[in-house]
Amino acid sequence: MTLLTSTSATLDSLDFYSANAILQAFMFLHYNETRFTESQSANTEFVVMITLQIAQHVRAALLEMGARLIVVPVLSNRHMKGHRYRDVFTKFQAWRLEGAYDSILYVDVDLLFLQTNPVDDLWALLEDHERVAANKRKPFFAAARDKWQRTINSGLLLFRPSLTDFKALVRLAETGTVSQFPDQTVLDAYWKNVSGAYTEIPATYNFMSLNAARFDSGDQIGSHFKFWDQPFAASYVLWQGAMAAARRHQLRRLRCRALVPVAPDGDFAQWKAVRDSGVLFETIALFSLVRDSTRLPVSYAAEVAHRQHMADSFAQALHVDHRDLPRAPARTRTPPLLHALRHILRDLLAACVSWVAVFDQHAVLSVRRQVLPLHAARVKNRTRTLGVYWDCAGTRAGGFWIHREAMGLTMQMMEDLDVLYWDAGKGRYVEGFGDEVVWKALLDTFAGSMAFVSSKWYLHQVPGSMCNGLLPIDAE
């Protein structure tokens, strides 16, 4: 069980606490290295206690991972006003679940088990306690000691839920004793006075250290730290692998509105650059546009495979091959660019994707390292909703990107084109209506507000011999 109280997650995005709750659900329920075993799954659930403030898209992402959600009221009191952890007593709500659960393993949202499932080892502490006949009806509480405080650490707790204990903890919290970590102070004060109840959890299951070398020593089973802020090399690699697996799991189900963030392969510095991009939680798609299937370059199949590989790297993006989409009937004379835009708007931007980078069939993805600078390109022109790549000395476009916020104007543009060029009597577009007309309409629609993406942010190259096959930027 974990707890998620008020977060800074906004519409269609997450914050790191909600993202880590989703990651925890994935790791206990799906991740090969740490998921519940078959025998554990028979009588164990992963539960997230949430408050009413948690956004619907965060709830949906947790449910899609298989978590059980329990909505609880915030527990606080007048002594906690303005305190950094003013809602921390809300975790005491877990003790109210007497009758619903025989025992609860509570895990803070920033405590992760990256390599080992700890369930059997930790529940063995309760089993050992109950082997003593006299203990079977006595209270039980287990926690690790805090590395810096003279109390237990409340990030990992094992206990039997009890309404009696819940009421006692709430009364003790209301006495007005406020400390840096008030829940730990209350728990420590209460359980040290319950004879025979306390069992110490080995520190390796709730490992805390500010020493990077020690943190990366491999001694820990449970790593209690905010991975998104701490440059611990070996642990980052483990965290990154879990994040990529969780994101890939979400993308396979096209659940894109509450994706855990892109955590690139490599080191913490690369992650920090992505983390601080300002658009970390946006969902990206690459779209391989085919306007003339009779003029595909010989290397096109390899190029598309490379784009797919780059998108798949740490699950940073979706990739759509235009050739894989249902074709418009030939009799309708639908321009390929119009056909692509319909799919981009209806099936990508309207569904879950924040923005789409579109590449012409003659463009060659020039980035050969794993980390695509997609976020950098987006940040450079974050106030614009349409960006055009300025190729062939500024006369042609080898690609463009379009943001979800451009949907309204683009849809209106396509409706206007249908009014002008669709022959309802013949069930087709009029002769002469093609990609150039659609492209000019798109540029005119966003004239004065689109970005021309400079070469510094190019993701692709266009061989000089292919320039004539691209759409003109100064379309007549």
Side-chain angles (χ1 to χ4, degrees), residues 80 83 85 88-89 91-92 141 143-146 148-155 157 168-169 172-193:
M80 294 293 288
H83 197 285
Y85 300 116
V88 74
F89 291 138
K91 71 175 61 173
F92 293 172
F141 175 79
R145 304 304 297 178
D146 192 273
W148 297 283
Q149 310 295 317
R150 291 185 173 181
T151 64
I152 58 94
N153 182 274
S154 62
L157 309 172
L169 288 167
L172 190 57
E174 290 173 346
T175 61
T177 301
V178 178
S179 61
Q180 183 179 4
F181 303 103
D183 60 321
Q184 296 184 174
T185 301
V186 171
L187 287 167
D188 194 76
Y190 179 70
W191 287 107
K192 75 180 181 181
N193 290 318

Side-chain angles (χ1 to χ4, degrees), residues 51-62:
T51 59
L52 289 172
Q53 293 88 340
I54 301 304
Q56 288 299 322
H57 68 284
V58 176
R59 300 184 190 200
L62 288 165

